[in-house]
Amino acid sequence: MNRLKASREVKSVDLPNCHLIKGIEAGADDIDILPNGLAFLSVGLKCPGLHSFSPDKPGGILMMDLKKENPRALELRISRGFNLASFNPHGISTFIDNDDTVYLFVVNHPEFKNTVEIFKFEEEENSLLHLKTIKHELLPSVNDIIAVGPAHFYATNDHYFSDPFLKYLETYLNLHWANVVYYSPNEVKVVAEGFDAANGINISPDKKYIYVADILAHEIHVLEKHPNMNLTQLKVLKLDTLVDNLSIDPSSGDILVGCHPNGQKLFIYDPNNPPSSEVLRIQNILSEKPTVTTVYANNGSVLQGSSVASVYDRKLLIGTLYHRALYCEL
């Protein structure tokens, strides 16, 4: 079992109307789009041992209005008092409250630590108001997050340990100690475990199921959500690629997956043999035979290391772990 798919090459699947997004040069690891077409992009992630095209620049949150003709990516201002210099955003998720308040949840790795930041989005000012920082012993190595309330979320830990050497050992020994945690102000608990490296997480449109990508096992797990927020595994979809972040197509409920066809190229960066990109669409994941189609694939000549794909009204955004981002009209 080759966890990194080190020998895999990808055949290009091009989309006709695409261009690279100006202003994104060092990754847009995760993307979340509001129902009104406002897209949030988490940019500039740095991880120990991972390549970075701008190692000295802090990360940030960009916004694109996909209702506009030629949307541009604008950086959102973040309220005073939040430490911008150490901002290192990873997975993100939005939550809209009953009073239409928009909350943005951001996995953050300041100085390579693990926190979850909750912001309130202030649309008039194009800014984020920082509300709280969450740290918890059950959140040692957070990767991605799906918000289910104003201070409530599921999060994936891609490792059991937070120490870099122990993380390396854990992966090397194939311990499968990664997990999913439910967090609320009243209760924090592990709700699913046994993952090789739990990565992207999302929720079905009817809010009944949680989807989790296990990047090194090349799997998407479908978990049933219970009223007490516990999860039980329903099924596992095996794929031939390293699955990173998961997005839901709001028009169909399909899952869009940002994938790494070859993990070795991703982790050991060579500009002459760069990591490739791959976006899959999964239809009817609950059925006996879900349909898996390739939406986009590139050998790294245009886009390196795709980590996420999000769609809104026939507009597709593809983000990467540490490279550029692509905007396509479908």
Side-chain angles (χ1 to χ4, degrees):
M1 168 72 173
N2 178 355
R3 289 152 90 204
L4 288 181
K5 297 267 172 204
S7 58
R8 189 167 165 221
E9 299 295 336
V10 68
K11 290 187 183 70
S12 278
V13 176
D14 287 321
L15 289 167
N17 307 312
C18 294
H19 64 257
L20 292 165
I21 299 167
K22 197 169 179 280
I24 300 176
E25 315 275 335
D29 175 69
D30 202 8
I31 299 170
D32 200 9
I33 308 175
L34 292 174
N36 66 3
L38 289 180
F40 295 91
L41 300 92
S42 155
V43 301
L45 174 68
K46 287 158 211 66
C47 298
L50 199 65
H51 182 72
S52 172
F53 284 107
S54 62
D56 303 322
K57 190 175 176 240
I61 302 292
L62 308 187
M63 194 183 77
M64 292 177 77
D65 186 348
L66 298 182
K67 288 192 307 301
K68 292 195 169 156
E69 268 296 289
N70 291 304
R72 305 212 326 272
L74 305 167
E75 184 150 9
L76 293 177
R77 263 181 345 104
I78 296 179
S79 60
R80 285 199 300 254
F82 181 74
N83 187 341
L84 288 172
S86 67
F87 192 31
N88 191 9
H90 199 167
I92 60 173
S93 177
T94 53
F95 181 78
I96 305 173
D97 215 348
N98 298 334
D99 61 0
D100 290 336
T101 303
V102 175
Y103 296 97
L104 179 70
F105 291 63
V106 181
V107 175
N108 185 18
H109 303 296
E111 283 124 29
F112 302 135
K113 295 186 184 71
N114 288 270
T115 65
V116 173
E117 313 292 348
I118 304 181
F119 300 94
K120 181 182 166 197
F121 173 53
E122 304 191 311
E123 193 173 345
E124 293 72 40
E125 287 101 62
N126 275 346
S127 71
L128 295 169
L129 176 67
H130 184 244
L131 300 178
K132 67 193 284 193
T133 296
I134 293 166
K135 298 176 188 166
H136 197 275
E137 61 183 5
L138 289 180
L139 300 170
S141 186
V142 195
N143 185 300
D144 194 20
I145 189 168
I146 178 71
V148 291
H152 311 66
F153 58 84
Y154 289 98
T156 54
N157 285 300
D158 50 24
H159 292 79
Y160 177 81
F161 295 109
S162 50
D163 175 82
F165 176 71
L166 292 176
K167 280 185 182 185
Y168 168 78
L169 212 59
E170 175 187 348
T171 304
Y172 180 73
L173 297 173
N174 207 353
L175 293 179
H176 282 79
W177 282 4
N179 62 23
V180 176
V181 168
Y182 172 70
Y183 180 96
S184 72
N186 312 327
E187 181 182 32
V188 187
K189 57 187 177 180
V190 174
V191 287
E193 49 198 341
F195 299 95
D196 191 343
N199 196 300
I201 187 167
N202 219 313
I203 192 166
S204 61
D206 62 10
K207 312 289 184 219
K208 288 183 185 171
Y209 305 100
I210 296 286
Y211 307 131
V212 177
D214 189 336
I215 186 166
L216 292 176
H218 322 132
E219 294 168 347
I220 296 174
H221 293 239
V222 180
L223 304 149
E224 191 172 352
K225 176 162 109 40
H226 302 288
N228 64 2
M229 305 313 271
N230 287 345
L231 303 176
T232 47
Q233 182 156 296
L234 208 60
K235 69 180 292 185
V236 178
L237 179 65
K238 288 209 167 292
L239 296 162
D240 185 39
T241 188
L242 282 74
V243 284
D244 199 327
N245 284 319
L246 307 175
S247 299
I248 309 300
D249 181 340
S251 65
S252 61
D254 296 351
I255 304 173
L256 286 165
V257 196
C259 305
H260 307 287
N262 184 319
Q264 186 156 316
K265 291 187 192 181
L266 183 75
F267 296 120
I268 302 164
Y269 186 74
D270 174 0
N272 300 315
N273 187 15
S276 46
S277 292
E278 182 175 44
V279 173
L280 301 179
R281 179 183 288 273
I282 297 160
Q283 294 163 279
N284 307 317
I285 192 158
L286 294 172
S287 67
E288 280 292 294
K289 283 212 168 143
T291 312
V292 180
T293 46
T294 305
V295 176
Y296 175 82
N298 178 262
N299 63 6
S301 59
V302 177
L303 201 65
Q304 304 176 7
S306 55
S307 57
V308 64
S310 286
V311 72
Y312 172 84
D313 191 26
R314 305 200 60 73
K315 291 170 182 177
L316 174 73
L317 295 176
I318 306 174
T320 63
L321 193 52
Y322 48 68
H323 188 239
R324 309 286 308 269
L326 203 62
Y327 168 84
C328 303
E329 293 184 353
L330 300 173

